[in-house]
Amino acid sequence: MARQLDYHTIREIFTRFEAAEPEPKGELDHVNAYTLVVAVALSAQATDVGVNKATRALFQVADTPQKMLDLGEEGLIQHIKTIGLYRNKAKHVMKLSRILVDEYGGEVPNSRAALQSLPGVGRKTANVVLNMWWQYPAQAVDTHIFRVGNRSGICPGKSVEAVERAIEDNVPVDFQRHAHHWLILHGRYTCKARKPACGTCLIRDLCLFEDKTL
């Protein structure tokens, strides 16, 4: 785990990220807050590409909690059976849809606690939804961010929670809303787990990773 980078270095890193990609976007397809919740819940241990392929037709027929309940669990499974753990995920989606209809009038709540009370929705999922739909600067730490944060020194921490706090505490406020998207994209396409592309990295000269590749 690298040491925590200083303020000026972190500001320069995110200035470069912003210049390269001013408005980074999440890669999960959705049409409203509900379909975003479902898509993120389905994405656990699955790729965004795989989830998008499965939900393309699903969201055409079930883009609200009530429509999902009308489709039924078996109907949902037919759409998502190409996704890992699809049976458990289908159960969670049906349960959270029922709760949204019965307790929230079919609307997705926008507090972290309320979101995390839904089956299959953990802190990371809640933070993704708060950030992407409500533009709240929540930091959804996944494996990419955890790796980048600890390799580079941008947001080191021994746990997901510690990395999340390091982002909140050390990244300048004007970069907070997009911080997790920039870090995810950097980890997915440049600072990859097995073969980091250090030779083409925007922040190579600022990163503390000791095993840089050419």
Side-chain angles (χ1 to χ4, degrees):
M1 184 171 71
R3 61 176 171 80
Q4 175 66 59
L5 289 170
D6 65 82
Y7 172 85
H8 298 291
T9 303
I10 292 176
R11 173 163 283 285
E12 175 60 23
I13 285 171
F14 282 92
T15 297
R16 294 181 189 182
F17 284 159
E18 184 178 50
E21 186 67 58
E23 291 289 330
K25 304 293 184 184
E27 296 182 327
L28 285 172
D29 295 337
H30 60 283
V31 296
N32 54 31
Y34 172 70
T35 55
L36 178 57
V37 170
V38 172
V40 180
L42 293 176
S43 71
Q45 300 181 49
T47 65
D48 289 356
V49 171
V51 172
N52 289 340
K53 184 176 180 181
T55 58
R56 192 168 295 120
L58 172 64
F59 292 157
Q60 291 178 3
V61 296
D63 60 354
T64 69
Q66 187 58 59
K67 289 180 181 178
M68 190 67 74
L69 293 174
D70 294 341
L71 179 64
E73 187 172 325
E74 287 305 314
L76 171 58
I77 284 174
Q78 292 307 305
H79 285 280
I80 67 170
K81 60 186 178 181
T82 56
I83 299 174
L85 307 174
Y86 66 91
R87 291 194 179 277
N88 281 337
K89 291 177 180 179
K91 292 182 186 299
H92 286 150
V93 169
M94 300 311 293
K95 288 179 180 177
L96 72 84
S97 299
R98 172 53 64 193
I99 291 171
L100 290 175
V101 168
D102 292 348
E103 300 182 19
Y104 295 97
E107 300 294 324
V108 175
N110 62 352
S111 79
R112 185 182 286 115
L115 285 167
Q116 284 189 250
S117 73
L118 300 173
V121 177
R123 186 178 181 88
K124 184 184 79 171
T125 297
N127 282 346
V128 170
V129 175
L130 291 172
N131 184 288
M132 289 180 63
W133 192 255
W134 282 287
Q135 288 78 57
Y136 179 76
Q139 308 302 331
V141 178
D142 68 352
T143 56
H144 295 301
I145 294 180
F146 191 82
R147 179 175 65 256
V148 171
N150 279 292
R151 274 181 177 174
S152 67
I154 295 171
C155 47
K158 293 182 179 180
S159 67
V160 167
E161 292 77 12
V163 171
E164 182 181 333
R165 177 58 60 84
I167 298 172
E168 293 173 345
D169 288 350
N170 293 285
V171 175
V173 169
D174 45 318
F175 297 120
Q176 286 276 336
R177 186 161 74 86
H178 292 315
H180 93 274
H181 278 132
W182 281 316
L183 291 169
I184 287 172
L185 293 172
H186 190 65
R188 185 173 289 166
Y189 298 112
T190 302
C191 193
K192 294 176 282 190
R194 294 186 180 180
K195 293 184 178 180
C198 299
T200 59
C201 178
L202 284 173
I203 62 168
R204 178 187 174 95
D205 58 317
L206 305 173
C207 171
L208 297 178
F209 185 44
E210 295 181 352
D211 299 323
K212 290 187 175 74
T213 60
L214 294 177

